[in-house]
Amino acid sequence: MISSVFGKTKPVNYILVLCFLTLLYACALFLRFNREISLETLPMDVLGISALLLSVLLVNFIVQRNQLTGSHSYTSYFFALLVLLFPESLLDRHALVANLFLLLAMRRLISLKSLRNVKAKIFDGALWILVGSLLVDWVLLFMLLPWIYVYFYEPRNLRNWLNPLAAVAVVGLIGAAVAFLAGIPDFIGTHYRLRWEGTVEYWAQWRNAAKLGSYILVVLIAGFTAFLKLGKAGHGRIVVMRLLAISLLVGIGVVLLRSGMRGSPIVLTFFPAAVFLSKYIESVRKEKIREGLLVGALLICLAVFSGEWLLA
């Protein structure tokens, strides 16, 4: 059933995912985490769900445009399941919006494999990452990606190595000017503290540590399997998978540094994780096994979500 629906790229697939995430967002915030509906928090709530839904559409665009997977919708399916598995990610609206900017950066950086407009793509990628870091300071760690992409694609051109620094200057000057006009001239200095913001209480709960550990293990296994299946693929596709793996590891680092009782930025890891899980599923040739894995993933995520809700 699931494989027959999401095994194709039809508009109805994305409508189902978007409707599911909208219901999940409302259920998680107002029932699971007992958030009150108020006019003060409504703008941020609308911003959070808008960023989440746009992220799903952008993930689909990146995957299909760059042919990261086959012609199916499994990536959107797994992205939605990961939100179900980690509903605490919905509490961090800053991370939801920062993830949207990070996806815009990944869209430009992944398209570097065509070797067209390299300088503009490197600059744009770095620019979007820096904009995202204005919301979540630790997103700055993703600034490693533009230089890593330069290393893999055009390392001999010195200007490519300097383009991310140009983006830093642009965002820094514009950000400082806007902060000054807004009456917070010390925003840049106070925002980029880059210190551990996690809480001992969050990681002391065995459920959080066990869930994150299991998630990382499953995604790494799926990623390793995807790399094995890429043995005969072109060099460009292998490089993209390597860069997605680096993005996943950087995202995990940000999660460890910033997760707390008020939310988690684990949504920053969902894009590469969903791609790896999709690559694994499409490598399964037997339809019954593929269907069993898809249904099993859904049931596990529902069980974890419900179990945490009952134990809360």
Short mmCIF file of all heavy atoms in Angstrom, two decimals, residues 128-171:
data_model
loop_
_atom_site.label_atom_id
_atom_site.label_comp_id
_atom_site.label_asym_id
_atom_site.label_seq_id
_atom_site.Cartn_x
_atom_site.Cartn_y
_atom_site.Cartn_z
N TRP A 128 23.28 31.68 2.49
CA TRP A 128 22.09 31.11 3.13
C TRP A 128 22.45 30.47 4.47
O TRP A 128 21.66 30.53 5.42
CB TRP A 128 21.43 30.10 2.20
CG TRP A 128 20.69 30.71 1.05
CD1 TRP A 128 20.88 30.48 -0.28
CD2 TRP A 128 19.59 31.63 1.12
NE1 TRP A 128 20.02 31.20 -1.04
CE2 TRP A 128 19.20 31.92 -0.20
CE3 TRP A 128 18.92 32.25 2.18
CZ2 TRP A 128 18.17 32.80 -0.50
CZ3 TRP A 128 17.88 33.13 1.88
CH2 TRP A 128 17.51 33.39 0.57
N ILE A 129 23.59 29.84 4.55
CA ILE A 129 24.01 29.25 5.84
C ILE A 129 24.18 30.33 6.89
O ILE A 129 23.76 30.18 8.04
CB ILE A 129 25.33 28.47 5.66
CG1 ILE A 129 25.10 27.22 4.79
CG2 ILE A 129 25.91 28.06 7.02
CD1 ILE A 129 26.37 26.49 4.43
N LEU A 130 24.79 31.44 6.51
CA LEU A 130 25.00 32.55 7.45
C LEU A 130 23.67 33.17 7.88
O LEU A 130 23.51 33.55 9.05
CB LEU A 130 25.90 33.60 6.81
CG LEU A 130 27.35 33.17 6.62
CD1 LEU A 130 28.08 34.12 5.68
CD2 LEU A 130 28.07 33.11 7.97
N VAL A 131 22.71 33.26 6.96
CA VAL A 131 21.39 33.78 7.32
C VAL A 131 20.74 32.84 8.34
O VAL A 131 20.13 33.28 9.32
CB VAL A 131 20.50 33.93 6.07
CG1 VAL A 131 19.07 34.29 6.48
CG2 VAL A 131 21.06 35.01 5.16
N GLY A 132 20.88 31.53 8.12
CA GLY A 132 20.35 30.57 9.08
C GLY A 132 21.02 30.67 10.44
O GLY A 132 20.38 30.49 11.48
N SER A 133 22.31 31.01 10.44
CA SER A 133 23.04 31.13 11.71
C SER A 133 22.58 32.34 12.53
O SER A 133 22.83 32.41 13.73
CB SER A 133 24.55 31.23 11.45
OG SER A 133 24.90 32.50 10.90
N LEU A 134 21.91 33.29 11.88
CA LEU A 134 21.35 34.42 12.62
C LEU A 134 20.20 33.96 13.52
O LEU A 134 19.82 34.67 14.46
CB LEU A 134 20.85 35.49 11.66
CG LEU A 134 21.93 36.21 10.84
CD1 LEU A 134 21.29 37.14 9.83
CD2 LEU A 134 22.88 36.99 11.75
N LEU A 135 19.65 32.79 13.24
CA LEU A 135 18.58 32.22 14.06
C LEU A 135 19.12 31.20 15.05
O LEU A 135 18.68 31.15 16.20
CB LEU A 135 17.54 31.56 13.16
CG LEU A 135 16.80 32.51 12.22
CD1 LEU A 135 16.11 31.74 11.10
CD2 LEU A 135 15.78 33.33 12.98
N VAL A 136 20.05 30.36 14.59
CA VAL A 136 20.69 29.36 15.46
C VAL A 136 22.20 29.50 15.28
O VAL A 136 22.73 29.19 14.22
CB VAL A 136 20.25 27.93 15.08
CG1 VAL A 136 20.94 26.90 15.97
CG2 VAL A 136 18.74 27.79 15.18
N ASP A 137 22.87 29.99 16.30
CA ASP A 137 24.29 30.34 16.14
C ASP A 137 25.16 29.16 15.73
O ASP A 137 26.09 29.31 14.94
CB ASP A 137 24.83 30.98 17.43
CG ASP A 137 24.63 30.10 18.65
OD1 ASP A 137 23.90 29.09 18.57
OD2 ASP A 137 25.20 30.43 19.71
N TRP A 138 24.84 27.95 16.23
CA TRP A 138 25.67 26.79 15.91
C TRP A 138 25.56 26.33 14.46
O TRP A 138 26.33 25.48 14.01
CB TRP A 138 25.34 25.63 16.84
CG TRP A 138 25.98 25.75 18.19
CD1 TRP A 138 25.38 26.00 19.38
CD2 TRP A 138 27.38 25.65 18.49
NE1 TRP A 138 26.29 26.05 20.40
CE2 TRP A 138 27.54 25.84 19.88
CE3 TRP A 138 28.52 25.43 17.71
CZ2 TRP A 138 28.77 25.82 20.51
CZ3 TRP A 138 29.75 25.40 18.33
CH2 TRP A 138 29.88 25.58 19.71
N VAL A 139 24.61 26.89 13.71
CA VAL A 139 24.53 26.59 12.27
C VAL A 139 25.80 27.05 11.56
O VAL A 139 26.10 26.62 10.45
CB VAL A 139 23.26 27.24 11.68
CG1 VAL A 139 23.26 27.20 10.15
CG2 VAL A 139 22.02 26.54 12.20
N LEU A 140 26.56 27.92 12.21
CA LEU A 140 27.85 28.35 11.65
C LEU A 140 28.76 27.16 11.32
O LEU A 140 29.62 27.25 10.44
CB LEU A 140 28.58 29.28 12.62
CG LEU A 140 28.33 30.79 12.49
CD1 LEU A 140 29.17 31.53 13.50
CD2 LEU A 140 28.64 31.28 11.08
N LEU A 141 28.59 26.04 12.03
CA LEU A 141 29.41 24.87 11.75
C LEU A 141 29.22 24.38 10.31
O LEU A 141 30.12 23.78 9.73
CB LEU A 141 29.07 23.74 12.73
CG LEU A 141 29.45 23.95 14.20
CD1 LEU A 141 29.01 22.76 15.04
CD2 LEU A 141 30.95 24.16 14.33
N PHE A 142 28.05 24.65 9.74
CA PHE A 142 27.79 24.22 8.36
C PHE A 142 28.58 25.04 7.35
O PHE A 142 28.58 24.72 6.16
CB PHE A 142 26.30 24.32 8.05
CG PHE A 142 25.47 23.24 8.68
CD1 PHE A 142 24.85 23.44 9.90
CD2 PHE A 142 25.32 22.01 8.05
CE1 PHE A 142 24.08 22.44 10.49
CE2 PHE A 142 24.56 21.01 8.62
CZ PHE A 142 23.94 21.22 9.85
N MET A 143 29.26 26.10 7.81
CA MET A 143 30.11 26.86 6.91
C MET A 143 31.30 26.04 6.42
O MET A 143 32.01 26.44 5.49
CB MET A 143 30.60 28.13 7.60
CG MET A 143 29.60 29.28 7.58
SD MET A 143 29.20 29.84 5.91
CE MET A 143 30.75 30.61 5.43
N LEU A 144 31.51 24.89 7.03
CA LEU A 144 32.52 23.97 6.52
C LEU A 144 32.15 23.46 5.13
O LEU A 144 33.03 23.17 4.30
CB LEU A 144 32.68 22.77 7.47
CG LEU A 144 33.28 23.05 8.85
CD1 LEU A 144 33.15 21.81 9.73
CD2 LEU A 144 34.74 23.44 8.72
N LEU A 145 30.85 23.35 4.86
CA LEU A 145 30.38 22.73 3.62
C LEU A 145 30.83 23.47 2.36
O LEU A 145 31.28 22.83 1.40
CB LEU A 145 28.87 22.59 3.64
CG LEU A 145 28.29 21.65 4.71
CD1 LEU A 145 26.77 21.61 4.62
CD2 LEU A 145 28.86 20.25 4.54
N PRO A 146 30.70 24.80 2.27
CA PRO A 146 31.15 25.47 1.04
C PRO A 146 32.61 25.19 0.72
O PRO A 146 32.95 24.94 -0.46
CB PRO A 146 30.91 26.96 1.34
CG PRO A 146 29.82 26.98 2.34
CD PRO A 146 30.04 25.78 3.19
N TRP A 147 33.49 25.21 1.72
CA TRP A 147 34.90 24.94 1.47
C TRP A 147 35.14 23.47 1.10
O TRP A 147 35.99 23.17 0.27
CB TRP A 147 35.73 25.34 2.69
CG TRP A 147 36.00 26.81 2.75
CD1 TRP A 147 36.69 27.57 1.83
CD2 TRP A 147 35.57 27.74 3.74
NE1 TRP A 147 36.73 28.89 2.20
CE2 TRP A 147 36.05 29.03 3.38
CE3 TRP A 147 34.84 27.61 4.92
CZ2 TRP A 147 35.81 30.16 4.15
CZ3 TRP A 147 34.60 28.75 5.68
CH2 TRP A 147 35.08 30.01 5.30
N ILE A 148 34.36 22.58 1.70
CA ILE A 148 34.50 21.16 1.35
C ILE A 148 34.04 20.94 -0.10
O ILE A 148 34.67 20.18 -0.86
CB ILE A 148 33.69 20.29 2.32
CG1 ILE A 148 34.32 20.35 3.72
CG2 ILE A 148 33.66 18.84 1.83
CD1 ILE A 148 33.53 19.64 4.78
N TYR A 149 32.97 21.62 -0.50
CA TYR A 149 32.51 21.51 -1.88
C TYR A 149 33.57 22.05 -2.84
O TYR A 149 33.81 21.49 -3.92
CB TYR A 149 31.20 22.28 -2.06
CG TYR A 149 29.97 21.46 -1.78
CD1 TYR A 149 29.54 21.23 -0.47
CD2 TYR A 149 29.21 20.92 -2.80
CE1 TYR A 149 28.41 20.48 -0.20
CE2 TYR A 149 28.08 20.17 -2.55
CZ TYR A 149 27.68 19.96 -1.24
OH TYR A 149 26.56 19.20 -0.98
N VAL A 150 34.21 23.17 -2.47
CA VAL A 150 35.28 23.72 -3.30
C VAL A 150 36.40 22.70 -3.45
O VAL A 150 36.95 22.50 -4.54
CB VAL A 150 35.81 25.04 -2.70
CG1 VAL A 150 37.08 25.49 -3.43
CG2 VAL A 150 34.75 26.13 -2.77
N TYR A 151 36.75 22.06 -2.35
CA TYR A 151 37.83 21.07 -2.37
C TYR A 151 37.52 19.93 -3.34
O TYR A 151 38.40 19.45 -4.07
CB TYR A 151 38.06 20.52 -0.96
CG TYR A 151 39.04 19.38 -0.91
CD1 TYR A 151 40.41 19.60 -1.00
CD2 TYR A 151 38.59 18.06 -0.79
CE1 TYR A 151 41.31 18.54 -0.96
CE2 TYR A 151 39.48 17.00 -0.76
CZ TYR A 151 40.84 17.25 -0.84
OH TYR A 151 41.72 16.19 -0.81
N PHE A 152 36.26 19.49 -3.37
CA PHE A 152 35.89 18.36 -4.23
C PHE A 152 35.72 18.75 -5.69
O PHE A 152 35.97 17.94 -6.58
CB PHE A 152 34.59 17.72 -3.72
CG PHE A 152 34.79 16.73 -2.60
CD1 PHE A 152 34.36 17.01 -1.32
CD2 PHE A 152 35.43 15.53 -2.82
CE1 PHE A 152 34.53 16.12 -0.28
CE2 PHE A 152 35.62 14.62 -1.80
CZ PHE A 152 35.17 14.91 -0.53
N TYR A 153 35.30 19.99 -5.98
CA TYR A 153 34.93 20.34 -7.35
C TYR A 153 35.95 21.23 -8.05
O TYR A 153 36.36 20.93 -9.16
CB TYR A 153 33.55 21.01 -7.36
CG TYR A 153 32.43 20.04 -7.10
CD1 TYR A 153 31.71 20.06 -5.91
CD2 TYR A 153 32.09 19.08 -8.04
CE1 TYR A 153 30.67 19.16 -5.67
CE2 TYR A 153 31.07 18.17 -7.82
CZ TYR A 153 30.36 18.22 -6.63
OH TYR A 153 29.36 17.33 -6.40
N GLU A 154 36.34 22.37 -7.46
CA GLU A 154 37.29 23.28 -8.13
C GLU A 154 38.29 23.84 -7.12
O GLU A 154 38.26 25.03 -6.79
CB GLU A 154 36.54 24.41 -8.84
CG GLU A 154 36.03 24.05 -10.22
CD GLU A 154 35.78 25.28 -11.07
OE1 GLU A 154 36.02 26.40 -10.61
OE2 GLU A 154 35.34 25.11 -12.22
N PRO A 155 39.20 23.02 -6.64
CA PRO A 155 40.13 23.48 -5.60
C PRO A 155 41.25 24.38 -6.12
O PRO A 155 41.91 25.05 -5.32
CB PRO A 155 40.69 22.17 -5.05
CG PRO A 155 40.62 21.21 -6.20
CD PRO A 155 39.37 21.59 -6.95
N ARG A 156 41.49 24.40 -7.43
CA ARG A 156 42.63 25.14 -7.95
C ARG A 156 42.36 26.63 -8.14
O ARG A 156 43.29 27.40 -8.34
CB ARG A 156 43.07 24.52 -9.29
CG ARG A 156 43.56 23.07 -9.15
CD ARG A 156 44.01 22.53 -10.49
NE ARG A 156 44.49 21.15 -10.37
CZ ARG A 156 44.93 20.42 -11.37
NH1 ARG A 156 44.96 20.96 -12.61
NH2 ARG A 156 45.33 19.17 -11.17
N ASN A 157 41.10 27.01 -8.09
CA ASN A 157 40.74 28.41 -8.29
C ASN A 157 40.70 29.11 -6.93
O ASN A 157 39.84 28.83 -6.09
CB ASN A 157 39.37 28.51 -8.98
CG ASN A 157 39.08 29.91 -9.47
OD1 ASN A 157 39.51 30.90 -8.88
ND2 ASN A 157 38.34 30.01 -10.56
N LEU A 158 41.61 30.04 -6.71
CA LEU A 158 41.71 30.73 -5.42
C LEU A 158 40.45 31.51 -5.10
O LEU A 158 40.05 31.60 -3.92
CB LEU A 158 42.92 31.67 -5.43
CG LEU A 158 43.17 32.48 -4.15
CD1 LEU A 158 43.39 31.54 -2.97
CD2 LEU A 158 44.34 33.43 -4.33
N ARG A 159 39.79 32.08 -6.09
CA ARG A 159 38.60 32.88 -5.84
C ARG A 159 37.48 32.05 -5.22
O ARG A 159 36.68 32.56 -4.43
CB ARG A 159 38.11 33.51 -7.15
CG ARG A 159 39.06 34.56 -7.71
CD ARG A 159 38.49 35.19 -8.96
NE ARG A 159 39.38 36.20 -9.51
CZ ARG A 159 39.13 36.91 -10.61
NH1 ARG A 159 37.99 36.68 -11.28
NH2 ARG A 159 39.98 37.80 -11.04
N ASN A 160 37.41 30.77 -5.58
CA ASN A 160 36.39 29.91 -4.99
C ASN A 160 36.58 29.79 -3.49
O ASN A 160 35.60 29.73 -2.73
CB ASN A 160 36.44 28.53 -5.65
CG ASN A 160 36.00 28.57 -7.11
OD1 ASN A 160 35.32 29.50 -7.53
ND2 ASN A 160 36.41 27.57 -7.87
N TRP A 161 37.83 29.73 -3.04
CA TRP A 161 38.09 29.62 -1.61
C TRP A 161 37.75 30.91 -0.87
O TRP A 161 37.44 30.88 0.34
CB TRP A 161 39.57 29.28 -1.37
CG TRP A 161 39.97 27.92 -1.86
CD1 TRP A 161 40.53 27.61 -3.05
CD2 TRP A 161 39.81 26.68 -1.17
NE1 TRP A 161 40.75 26.26 -3.16
CE2 TRP A 161 40.32 25.66 -2.01
CE3 TRP A 161 39.30 26.33 0.08
CZ2 TRP A 161 40.32 24.31 -1.64
CZ3 TRP A 161 39.30 24.99 0.45
CH2 TRP A 161 39.81 24.01 -0.40
N LEU A 162 37.79 32.05 -1.57
CA LEU A 162 37.52 33.33 -0.93
C LEU A 162 36.05 33.72 -0.94
O LEU A 162 35.63 34.59 -0.18
CB LEU A 162 38.34 34.43 -1.62
CG LEU A 162 39.86 34.28 -1.55
CD1 LEU A 162 40.53 35.39 -2.34
CD2 LEU A 162 40.35 34.27 -0.11
N ASN A 163 35.25 33.07 -1.78
CA ASN A 163 33.83 33.43 -1.91
C ASN A 163 33.06 33.30 -0.59
O ASN A 163 32.24 34.18 -0.28
CB ASN A 163 33.17 32.59 -2.99
CG ASN A 163 33.26 33.25 -4.36
OD1 ASN A 163 33.60 34.42 -4.47
ND2 ASN A 163 32.99 32.48 -5.40
N PRO A 164 33.25 32.23 0.20
CA PRO A 164 32.54 32.18 1.49
C PRO A 164 32.89 33.35 2.40
O PRO A 164 32.03 33.82 3.16
CB PRO A 164 33.01 30.84 2.08
CG PRO A 164 33.36 30.00 0.89
CD PRO A 164 33.96 30.97 -0.08
N LEU A 165 34.14 33.83 2.34
CA LEU A 165 34.53 34.97 3.16
C LEU A 165 33.80 36.23 2.70
O LEU A 165 33.45 37.10 3.52
CB LEU A 165 36.04 35.18 3.10
CG LEU A 165 36.90 34.03 3.65
CD1 LEU A 165 38.38 34.35 3.49
CD2 LEU A 165 36.56 33.76 5.12
N ALA A 166 33.57 36.35 1.39
CA ALA A 166 32.80 37.48 0.88
C ALA A 166 31.37 37.44 1.41
O ALA A 166 30.79 38.48 1.76
CB ALA A 166 32.80 37.46 -0.65
N ALA A 167 30.81 36.24 1.49
CA ALA A 167 29.46 36.10 2.05
C ALA A 167 29.44 36.49 3.52
O ALA A 167 28.48 37.12 3.99
CB ALA A 167 28.99 34.66 1.87
N VAL A 168 30.49 36.14 4.25
CA VAL A 168 30.60 36.51 5.67
C VAL A 168 30.59 38.04 5.80
O VAL A 168 29.90 38.61 6.67
CB VAL A 168 31.87 35.93 6.30
CG1 VAL A 168 32.10 36.50 7.70
CG2 VAL A 168 31.79 34.41 6.38
N ALA A 169 31.34 38.71 4.94
CA ALA A 169 31.41 40.17 4.98
C ALA A 169 30.04 40.79 4.68
O ALA A 169 29.61 41.73 5.36
CB ALA A 169 32.46 40.68 3.99
N VAL A 170 29.35 40.26 3.67
CA VAL A 170 28.05 40.81 3.29
C VAL A 170 27.03 40.65 4.42
O VAL A 170 26.36 41.61 4.83
CB VAL A 170 27.53 40.12 2.01
CG1 VAL A 170 26.07 40.50 1.75
CG2 VAL A 170 28.39 40.51 0.82
N VAL A 171 26.90 39.42 4.95
CA VAL A 171 25.93 39.18 6.02
C VAL A 171 26.31 39.94 7.28
O VAL A 171 25.45 40.48 7.98
CB VAL A 171 25.81 37.66 6.30
CG1 VAL A 171 24.92 37.41 7.51
CG2 VAL A 171 25.27 36.94 5.08
#
